[in-house]
Amino acid sequence: MITYFPGPAKVYPQVRQYLTDAYDAGVLSISHRSDAFVDISRRTIALLKEKLAVPADYTVLYVSSATESWEIIPQSLVRAQSLHLYSGAFGERGFQYAHYLHEGALPYVLAVDEAPDPAALPVDAHTELIALAQNETSNGTQVRPEVIAQLRRAFPEPLLAVDATSSMAGIALPFAEADVWYASVQKCFGLPAGLGVLICSPRAVARAQALHEQRHYNSLLKLLAQIEKYQTNYTPNVLGIYLLGRVLAQMPPVAELDVHIKARAAQLYATVEALPYAQPLVRNAAVRSDTVVAVEADSALIADVKAQAKAAGMLLGSGYGTWKTTTFRIANFPALTDDEINRVQAFLRQYVPVAQTS
Ligand SMILES: *Cc1c(COP(=O)(O)O)cnc(C)c1O
């Protein structure tokens, strides 16, 4: 069965060997204070910066998940007020976690086909942080690098925090244009769940120091203090960190991946646009995701196409949130091969809705 779910997603097939290697090398039992761990961690962080083109002066931290980053960011980088732009379920959940901590966390809801327009945003002198999802996995939209750069130019003061959970390690990201970037490894990294990365600019680090928030086990200051030694202040997912290092070592530079993934995305959208029974959920091509393609049709048909795909050995990603029954999603993640991406397109082209066969 090939899974096209956008997370947990297909893992790179090499992970099977890496798991065995980890066991044989004793990685599963090493102390997170040992030189062996520090070596793995140092190498993993260096590879992540190299392969993903993260600026040298940014700091890479380990967390458990993107959800943890939703909490760490408002907890450790905001005193009172932040602005959260979103069009879907993941962006909204990030806003909710911020709002639990600060009444001054404000939502700014975008339509699915709408790109954020800096001139329209209610940013004022009290806005300490602007949050957005670069790739909104629930509806297959993205905020393009140019728009992130526009936001940075329009609002140089607030920190810019970007959820890149379902795009990091798939497409090239403009790290220098924002202060905080985060992801989990079960999406484009092609790894099993249980590890996240949180990447901070020097400005974000300075903000954490200025706020000096250290009441939580995952206070940014505590994570920052330990990562200077390539360590964490709790026992981390050592296996996950090891696997991340191995996958990064095998990965081409992100600029190369970017070209490949975007070419496949263009094909996928062209295929879906030509289907008589469905269409891309996102009509505005300028905000369509490259890594998660959401396909819309009536809900009876969605259920049938998923069932027929499953019978043919393909697990289409279910719809999510508002779009649960009226869409399915196809992950265009790097661990899926070109053959697998072609195969799902061939299936969609030859699929005949059940009502029309009788
Ligand atoms: C999957 C996802 C998350 C949540 O990731 P967890 O690892 O479950 O915390 C957050 N944001 C986006 C955009 C996602 O796709």
Side-chain angles (χ1 to χ4, degrees), residues 195-241:
L195 179 68
V197 291
L198 175 62
I199 303 176
C200 293
S201 72
R203 249 164 54 91
V205 171
R207 186 74 60 92
Q209 285 160 348
L211 259 63
H212 212 72
E213 184 286 306
Q214 47 187 350
R215 290 166 301 172
H216 302 273
Y217 87 95
N218 57 6
S219 293
L220 201 46
L221 274 190
K222 292 191 179 132
L223 300 175
L224 287 166
Q226 287 293 327
I227 207 69
E228 285 182 17
K229 302 171 284 181
Y230 297 96
Q231 294 181 26
T232 51
N233 55 323
Y234 56 91
T235 314
N237 182 348
V238 176
L239 174 61
I241 292 167

Side-chain angles (χ1 to χ4, degrees), residues 33-356:
R33 303 292 173 219
S34 66
D35 292 344
F37 173 76
V38 169
D39 265 6
I40 291 167
S41 172
R42 183 193 291 118
R43 213 167 333 128
T44 300
I45 288 174
L47 278 165
L48 189 137
K49 289 175 114 174
E50 179 201 326
K51 292 294 178 79
L52 302 189
V54 175
D57 59 356
Y58 278 44
T59 305
V60 177
L61 300 155
Y62 304 115
V63 293
S64 66
S65 63
T67 301
E68 189 181 0
S69 291
W70 280 335
E71 178 127 323
I72 292 172
I73 293 163
Q75 163 190 287
S76 295
L77 291 172
V78 177
R79 277 200 184 90
Q81 189 173 317
S82 54
L83 182 69
H84 301 257
L85 320 181
Y86 59 85
S87 72
F90 287 98
E92 181 177 19
R93 211 176 305 156
F95 156 69
Q96 281 166 351
Y97 282 108
H99 196 255
Y100 292 144
L101 292 170
H102 306 292
E103 287 288 310
L106 306 172
Y108 186 88
V109 179
L110 299 157
V112 169
D113 287 298
E114 183 183 3
D117 170 10
L121 298 182
V123 175
D124 64 31
H126 303 291
T127 308
E128 299 160 64
L129 180 139
I130 300 171
L132 61 95
Q134 191 282 323
N135 201 72
E136 173 54 71
T137 319
S138 68
N139 58 21
T141 55
Q142 73 167 312
V143 179
R144 293 202 181 272
E146 311 83 81
V147 176
I148 294 176
Q150 282 167 15
L151 289 168
R152 168 44 38 98
R153 278 198 300 278
F155 310 112
E157 271 310 307
L159 294 177
L160 200 48
V162 183
D163 181 346
T165 304
S166 53
S167 54
M168 191 185 291
I171 60 167
L173 296 170
F175 287 103
E177 304 288 356
D179 300 290
V180 184
W181 294 84
Y182 56 98
S184 304
V185 299
Q186 75 275 18
K187 313 267 167 104
C188 285
F189 286 94
L191 283 162
L195 179 68
V197 291
L198 175 62
I199 303 176
C200 293
S201 72
R203 249 164 54 91
V205 171
R207 186 74 60 92
Q209 285 160 348
L211 259 63
H212 212 72
E213 184 286 306
Q214 47 187 350
R215 290 166 301 172
H216 302 273
Y217 87 95
N218 57 6
S219 293
L220 201 46
L221 274 190
K222 292 191 179 132
L223 300 175
L224 287 166
Q226 287 293 327
I227 207 69
E228 285 182 17
K229 302 171 284 181
Y230 297 96
Q231 294 181 26
T232 51
N233 55 323
Y234 56 91
T235 314
N237 182 348
V238 176
L239 174 61
I241 292 167
Y242 171 85
L243 294 174
L244 175 60
R246 294 294 303 269
V247 158
L248 286 165
Q250 120 212 331
M251 233 181 78
V254 74
E256 233 172 84
L257 267 184
D258 184 75
V259 172
H260 188 199
I261 291 298
K262 286 177 179 167
R264 291 202 321 201
Q267 272 179 20
L268 279 162
Y269 283 111
T271 295
V272 174
E273 279 179 334
L275 298 175
Y277 58 85
Q279 58 191 335
L281 169 65
V282 185
R283 311 288 196 270
N284 177 4
V287 300
R288 279 180 189 161
S289 165
D290 291 309
T291 51
V292 179
V293 175
V295 181
E296 184 178 45
D298 87 54
S299 49
L301 191 141
I302 293 286
D304 182 59
V305 75
K306 280 165 61 184
Q308 287 200 37
K310 194 170 176 186
M314 286 172 278
L315 216 50
L316 300 177
S318 294
Y320 198 96
T322 313
W323 303 279
K324 194 171 179 59
T325 61
T326 54
T327 64
F328 63 82
R329 294 172 301 160
I330 302 170
N332 180 27
F333 292 169
L336 283 153
T337 63
D338 290 352
D339 274 355
E340 288 166 339
I341 294 294
N342 289 336
R343 188 166 153 195
V344 71
Q345 291 179 83
F347 167 81
L348 293 173
R349 279 191 216 103
Q350 60 76 47
Y351 165 79
V352 179
V354 73
Q356 295 178 20

